[in-house]
Amino acid sequence: CAARAKAFRAIILGAPASGKGTISSRIVRDFKMKHLSGGDLLRSQISAKTDVGLMAKTFMDKGALVPDDVMSTLIINELALLKQHSWLLDGFPRTLKQAETLHQQEHADVVISLDVPEEEIVQRIAGRWTHISSGRVYNTEFNPPKVPGIDDVTGEKLIQRDDDKPEAVRKRLQTYEANIKPILDYYHHHGVLKLFKGRFTNEIWPKVHEFLSEKIPPKSN
Ligand code: G5P
Ligand code: MG
């Protein structure tokens, strides 16, 4: 076959429940990219009861950020395994420090930033159900599982995340607001930032698809 195209590096950012996971799953369905979510990675560490997982949980349950050094090490180790692949990084960086650490290793080709109104976000979180080992998410109204409380693919149980309780959600939104501006400025300065504003995923998704189609070839199958 022809020489392999350069691996493509994308980042997707947005407030809690802005649809990063949902849009990421559509991106990897349509484009040849590996999805890496910081939150999913932490939750799988928690399920496996690793030291990092147990430590991270104390921050996550409060809706606070996991310390930068822990998080950056975790992500950079995972990205090292994906060197040859195009990847989509979801929910990292969350601080300017993380953005700078990442930039020492990898340069993003595009940064997709989702901008969804806050009242929509609060409503969504209340209806979210998660399949922990895969990171698949459902919403009782938007994309309900075929059988309530059960993952469509594996038949395993769905759970509601501990940090989806109202107190933690408020804190997560505050934390996001407090940190996002310098990150967006940083990527804007590097000329890779693209904002997508809208209320619903089905409204934002076609624009993301069109944008990415101009950058990388869609999957041929
Ligand atoms: P996470 O796991 O990154 P958040 O809070 O950033 O968590 P979250 O909650 O995973 O983001 P999302 O991926 O943006 O949200 O959204 P989603 O899951 O796709 O969609 C949310 C819900 O809405 C779902 O139920 C979905 O079905 C539904 N939905 C989607 N679109 C629509 C729509 O159009 N309409 C409706 N009605 N519903 C819709 O991070 C968790 C924690 O991990 C730590 C932190 O403690 C963080 O709080 N962490 C980090 N700490 C430090 N540094 C980092 N880089 C960290 N990354 C994670
Ligand atoms: Mg997510």
Side-chain angles (χ1 to χ4, degrees), residues 171-184:
K171 180 75 201 299
R172 280 159 63 201
L173 284 167
Q174 280 167 7
T175 306
Y176 180 78
E177 287 306 324
N179 287 292
I180 193 62
K181 176 101 177 28
I183 301 174
L184 297 184

Side-chain angles (χ1 to χ4, degrees), residues 16 19 24 45 85 106 134 172:
S24 293
Q45 296 275 330
H85 299 273
E106 298 278 3
S134 69
R172 280 159 63 201

Side-chain angles (χ1 to χ4, degrees), residues 11-218:
I11 293 175
I12 185 164
L13 302 176
S18 57
K20 300 183 295 295
T22 307
I23 288 182
S24 293
S25 66
R26 294 182 187 186
I27 292 175
V28 299
R29 181 194 65 198
D30 292 358
F31 300 92
K32 210 168 168 220
M33 301 178 85
K34 302 274 185 190
H35 175 220
L36 180 63
S37 150
D40 289 351
L41 193 60
L42 291 169
R43 283 183 287 278
S44 67
Q45 296 275 330
I46 292 173
S47 295
K49 298 195 165 58
T50 65
D51 289 344
V52 168
L54 295 175
M55 188 275 264
K57 188 172 184 344
T58 63
F59 293 91
M60 291 170 75
D61 285 353
K62 288 184 292 194
L65 292 180
V66 173
D68 283 337
D69 52 342
V70 175
M71 200 61 212
S72 296
T73 305
L74 211 55
I75 291 286
I76 282 164
N77 288 345
E78 288 295 315
L79 291 179
L81 304 174
L82 300 178
K83 273 247 174 276
Q84 277 85 318
H85 299 273
S86 291
W87 48 246
L88 170 65
L89 188 51
D90 161 357
F92 185 99
R94 292 285 242 274
T95 63
L96 183 59
K97 185 83 204 326
Q98 291 180 8
E100 288 167 349
T101 306
L102 177 66
H103 195 74
Q104 289 164 12
Q105 308 284 331
E106 298 278 3
H107 292 188
D109 295 301
V110 295
V111 175
I112 293 167
S113 170
L114 305 179
D115 186 352
V116 174
E118 185 167 324
E119 76 272 10
E120 170 69 21
I121 283 173
V122 172
Q123 237 175 41
R124 277 182 198 180
I125 289 181
R128 172 163 57 188
W129 290 84
T130 305
H131 180 242
I132 287 292
S133 59
S134 69
R136 262 186 297 282
V137 286
Y138 300 87
N139 181 281
T140 42
E141 288 167 37
F142 173 67
N143 60 336
K146 294 195 181 97
V147 179
I150 301 292
D151 177 46
D152 289 352
V153 178
T154 62
E156 290 166 358
K157 273 199 173 149
L158 301 174
I159 61 121
Q160 283 204 294
R161 282 166 40 179
D162 287 336
D163 62 349
D164 278 352
K165 294 180 185 129
E167 261 314 283
V169 169
R170 255 193 302 279
K171 180 75 201 299
R172 280 159 63 201
L173 284 167
Q174 280 167 7
T175 306
Y176 180 78
E177 287 306 324
N179 287 292
I180 193 62
K181 176 101 177 28
I183 301 174
L184 297 184
D185 289 347
Y186 181 83
Y187 287 125
H188 178 69
H189 176 76
H190 282 94
V192 290
L193 182 66
K194 179 76 183 171
L195 289 177
F196 293 90
K197 201 175 163 93
R199 190 175 185 101
F200 303 111
T201 293
N202 287 347
E203 170 193 330
I204 292 176
W205 165 243
K207 298 183 212 160
V208 173
H209 187 276
E210 189 188 354
F211 171 71
L212 284 177
S213 299
E214 289 162 7
K215 312 260 174 198
I216 43 169

